[in-house]
Amino acid sequence: MSFYMPTKIYSGSDCVIKNASVFKNFGKNAMIVTGKTSAKVCGALDDVVKALNENNISYSIFDKVLNNPTVENCYEGGKFAKEIKADFIIAIGGGSPLDAAKAISMYKTNDISPMQIFDGEQKNKPIPVIGVATTAGTGSEVTQYSVLTVESEETKRSFSTPDTFMKIAFLDAKYTESLPMSITIDTAVDALSHAFESILNKRSNIFSEVYAKESLKLTGKSLSSLVKRNLTYKDRENLLFASAYVGIAIAQTGTTVVHSMGYPLTYYKGLTHGNANGVLLSSFIKGCDNVNHKLVSELLGYLGLNSINEFDKMLNTLLPDRKIITEDEAKLFSEKTIKAKNVSSCPWDITQEDEYKIFLKLVK
Ligand code: NAP
Ligand code: ZN
């Protein structure tokens, strides 16, 4: 059993501005990594720029990160980081910019080909990354994982090293207030999926379980607001902290088959990451129920729900569109995803036939 989480967290209203002086510990030349617009829209970019100016730190912005970033997209960011001689990175965004920043920090210090990022520990340590979360779901600000789309393999792959944890994570719920409702829902469902996949995981341990269960309890407090699509600031904060809590848990355990089975739904069918997990989650929980009914009931209880059916109904309200693939795709996807690494941490010995049957539930 082990537990490792080296990221320093600052949370609460205006935490970037209130802790502006921490940026000066990382150098004089920053690279801001973000997506097209969200950092501007949610106010995080203004706060970060103000904090940098206060500390006389120069900065350049790379705002080209794609949703579900590709390896090439991050490699381009790595070239930019080299050109501007960045001392450190500030990543602002959802999981996509945060994961991209981890890859960019590694490309900055290592002369490797794009795909060599998956070779494990590199010769040189990456430059430090500081993360400002603007979605509440992936927990990437407190995990070592960077999940990248690999076009040549038509799927996603992740890399991680102990050095890819962020040095600092800022959690200010005000940045998540500008999220459209659909992204709020999809990302909250991603965090829910992390919690079930972490606790019901062969690699779960007593420490990771504490964080994952607390995450479910926090989400439980705001679940009815989410279903009603009417969130207060407090709800947004609950969801943001729930996402970070369970991020700390998956940093220990990883995820399992919901995530690997979700990748083709994102790659081929264009579902967002959270939505892809959401349409598979009830089936996973049903499978786990056969193995450990008591634990599954306990977890549903944290959400104020009495059965998997109630859970499924709730998910159906959040993500009504679930008939999205063909029978051929169900077969193809199960052939592909049964080979994923994290299949081994599924609590039962899942077979391709099991995965096929789960995918069949999504057939139009
Ligand atoms: P995302 O892809 O980062 O963002 C989705 C969309 O939301 C983007 O269009 C983004 O705009 C917009 N957005 C973000 N914050 C916003 C805000 N505050 N206001 C308005 N719009 C906002 O979504 P995500 O679900 O957070 O991240 C998904 C990625 O994370 C996937 O690639 C997934 O594989 C990965 N992931 C990583 C981990 C991990 O441990 N590292 C765990 C789970 C998932 P912009 O285009 O302007 O950015
Ligand atoms: Zn996820």
Side-chain angles (χ1 to χ4, degrees):
M1 186 168 74
S2 67
F3 186 92
Y4 183 61
M5 213 299 283
T7 304
K8 181 155 189 171
I9 297 173
Y10 291 100
S11 68
S13 208
D14 298 324
C15 57
V16 171
I17 296 294
K18 285 179 184 159
N19 298 286
S21 63
V22 300
F23 289 98
K24 68 173 183 280
N25 301 329
F26 298 95
K28 295 302 286 172
N29 186 22
M31 170 172 173
I32 297 176
V33 171
T34 186
K36 264 197 206 89
T37 54
S38 59
K40 293 179 200 109
V41 172
C42 74
L45 183 64
D46 280 350
D47 286 354
V48 165
V49 165
K50 196 168 164 207
L52 294 176
N53 286 340
E54 260 177 41
N55 290 290
N56 295 318
I57 298 170
S58 60
Y59 63 90
S60 310
I61 302 180
F62 180 80
D63 58 1
K64 294 186 186 162
V65 178
L66 307 167
N67 290 355
N68 306 295
T70 59
V71 177
E72 289 72 23
N73 184 208
C74 299
Y75 198 69
E76 188 192 342
K79 276 196 206 150
F80 185 75
K82 282 178 174 161
E83 266 163 42
I84 64 161
K85 300 189 169 55
D87 295 324
F88 69 105
I89 291 175
I90 303 159
I92 307 176
S96 296
L98 301 193
D99 282 8
K102 293 174 193 175
I104 292 170
S105 70
M106 201 55 104
Y107 288 129
K108 159 70 173 67
T109 51
N110 290 284
D111 291 323
I112 52 176
S113 71
M115 289 301 284
Q116 278 176 319
I117 197 122
F118 299 112
D119 289 355
E121 208 88 7
Q122 303 290 344
K123 190 163 150 242
N124 301 313
K125 284 188 185 300
I127 53 172
V129 181
I130 294 172
V132 183
T134 69
T135 64
T138 72
S140 176
E141 67 280 4
V142 289
T143 74
Q144 69 279 49
Y145 311 118
S146 169
V147 187
L148 308 177
T149 301
V150 182
E151 296 284 1
S152 58
E153 296 175 5
E154 301 189 345
T155 189
K156 285 182 170 184
R157 266 170 81 171
S158 66
F159 81 92
S160 65
T161 79
D163 297 318
T164 40
F165 277 102
M166 300 205 168
K167 298 294 175 216
I168 294 178
F170 287 104
L171 300 176
D172 186 340
K174 81 174 174 203
Y175 302 139
T176 66
E177 288 187 302
S178 56
L179 280 169
M181 191 48 68
S182 67
I183 301 177
T184 303
I185 289 173
D186 293 353
T187 45
V189 170
D190 187 25
L192 266 183
S193 192
H194 292 167
F196 283 100
E197 287 181 82
S198 181
I199 300 167
L200 298 161
N201 186 304
K202 279 191 184 151
R203 298 174 63 202
S204 175
N205 70 44
I206 186 111
F207 290 100
S208 62
E209 203 177 282
V210 171
Y211 281 94
K213 285 185 176 175
E214 284 305 316
S215 167
L216 278 180
K217 290 178 197 169
L218 260 185
T219 302
K221 286 185 185 168
S222 294
L223 194 58
S224 65
S225 308
L226 192 68
V227 170
K228 286 184 209 136
R229 291 162 166 77
N230 187 11
L231 293 131
T232 61
Y233 180 83
K234 188 67 198 157
D235 290 319
R236 295 247 173 227
E237 195 165 74
N238 284 344
L239 295 177
L240 183 64
F241 292 169
S243 160
Y245 275 6
V246 75
I248 293 170
I250 61 168
Q252 319 308 316
T253 61
T255 52
T256 177
V257 290
V258 178
H259 268 62
S260 45
M261 291 176 70
Y263 291 159
L265 300 177
T266 296
Y267 189 85
Y268 295 107
K269 309 306 289 184
L271 264 63
T272 66
H273 173 70
N275 194 350
N277 295 333
V279 297
L280 297 162
L281 191 52
S282 300
S283 299
F284 171 70
I285 296 175
K286 271 185 200 139
C288 296
D289 195 58
N290 297 328
V291 184
N292 195 341
H293 174 69
K294 195 164 161 259
L295 181 55
V296 167
S297 303
E298 178 191 338
L299 302 183
L300 293 174
Y302 295 145
L303 297 173
L305 302 170
N306 292 314
S307 66
I308 302 175
N309 270 353
E310 273 187 25
F311 180 81
D312 195 49
K313 267 194 194 155
M314 179 275 293
L315 271 185
N316 209 22
T317 317
L318 293 176
L319 310 168
D321 246 352
R322 292 206 239 175
K323 302 290 181 193
I324 43 171
I325 63 174
T326 64
E327 223 170 299
D328 285 350
E329 284 171 331
K331 187 158 177 294
L332 174 76
F333 295 171
S334 61
E335 280 165 10
K336 247 178 127 88
T337 56
I338 197 64
K339 296 180 195 136
K341 250 195 320 207
N342 65 6
V343 163
S344 63
S345 46
C346 183
W348 77 94
D349 289 332
I350 192 163
T351 61
Q352 189 189 324
E353 184 64 20
D354 293 338
E355 291 201 356
Y356 177 58
K357 283 185 185 153
I358 295 174
F359 278 124
L360 275 184
K361 293 191 182 146
L362 310 180
V363 169
K364 291 176 218 169

